[in-house]
Amino acid sequence: HVNRCCGPLPLDEVTLLQLQTYLNELSRTHSGSLVKHLRHYFRSIFELAVDQDLLRKSPAKSLRLPHLKPIPKPFLSPEQMRALINAASGVSRLILRVACTTALRPSELFALRCCDVDAPNSCLHILQSVYRGKLRPFTKTTDADSPSHLCVVPLPRTLCQELCTYTRGRPAKNSLLFPSSRETPLSKEN
């Protein structure tokens, strides 16, 4: 986005009007989150240039956040989710059922271990996440100090039973619930 906005212009030729116009146009087609991040990014770039005496003044200092409207995001209807689940088989079907039932982030879903399935309480314990193939002992919304109730996701009994049946075939209680063929976390990019 920085290249699209500024191209090969030297920093001292970039104007507030140019930056503001780009953000305004972007806000019509992209998420508010992206626009906010880009505004912050522009401000940081030019603030650093001022701090390093490459610029006298930052053109991004007065950059305003444009009016942000919700951008419609596609989603599956309940009928489409059922059709997708019914079309899948094996472990793919189980992954889809867990994903559609719990709304876990892929980073949380693919970091689940067999021991995270709590059959007596019919729930999952979300204690870690995966990022760029590496397991992390926290999630996007929790850390090691988070209250334990924030890390519990209830499951329908039938799905919990299906997960328990599936975990009996896994090599160890602390092994990944849905590993790759190399016993590493699956990636949402695959």
Side-chain angles (χ1 to χ4, degrees), residues 25-177:
E25 289 171 2
L26 206 62
S27 72
R28 292 186 194 109
T29 56
H30 289 72
S31 72
S33 174
L34 181 117
V35 175
K36 289 175 186 175
H37 279 93
L38 192 55
R39 175 179 170 243
H40 176 76
Y41 196 56
F42 282 147
R43 283 182 163 183
S44 297
I45 290 169
F46 288 100
E47 185 178 311
L48 180 63
V50 170
D51 288 349
Q52 293 186 353
D53 294 325
L54 299 173
L55 290 176
R56 190 176 54 79
K57 184 176 153 188
S58 168
K61 185 174 183 176
S62 300
L63 198 54
R64 294 180 184 264
L65 199 57
H67 174 71
L68 302 174
K69 61 180 182 196
I71 303 296
K73 295 180 183 180
F75 60 90
L76 298 177
S77 69
E79 296 78 25
Q80 290 170 317
M81 286 194 298
R82 278 191 284 281
L84 182 63
I85 290 169
N86 290 336
S89 62
V91 70
S92 296
R93 185 174 193 277
L94 189 55
I95 290 170
L96 285 169
R97 286 193 62 214
V98 172
C100 291
T101 302
T102 62
L104 290 176
R105 294 176 180 88
S107 63
E108 296 163 344
L109 178 65
F110 298 141
L112 286 172
R113 296 188 178 277
C114 294
C115 57
D116 295 330
V117 179
D118 183 347
N121 295 306
S122 198
C123 64
L124 290 172
H125 296 274
I126 315 302
L127 305 172
Q128 59 189 8
S129 59
V130 63
Y131 180 70
R132 296 185 179 177
K134 304 286 184 207
L135 290 169
R136 307 180 302 179
F138 54 89
T139 71
K140 187 173 180 177
T141 57
T142 63
D143 58 28
D145 299 325
S146 295
S148 61
H149 73 277
L150 294 178
C151 305
V152 176
V153 176
L155 288 174
R157 289 219 180 273
T158 55
L159 181 54
C160 190
Q161 290 167 349
E162 193 174 339
L163 283 169
C164 288
T165 300
Y166 169 74
T167 59
R168 286 189 201 114
R170 300 291 309 134
K173 288 282 285 173
N174 66 346
S175 64
L176 290 169
L177 188 58

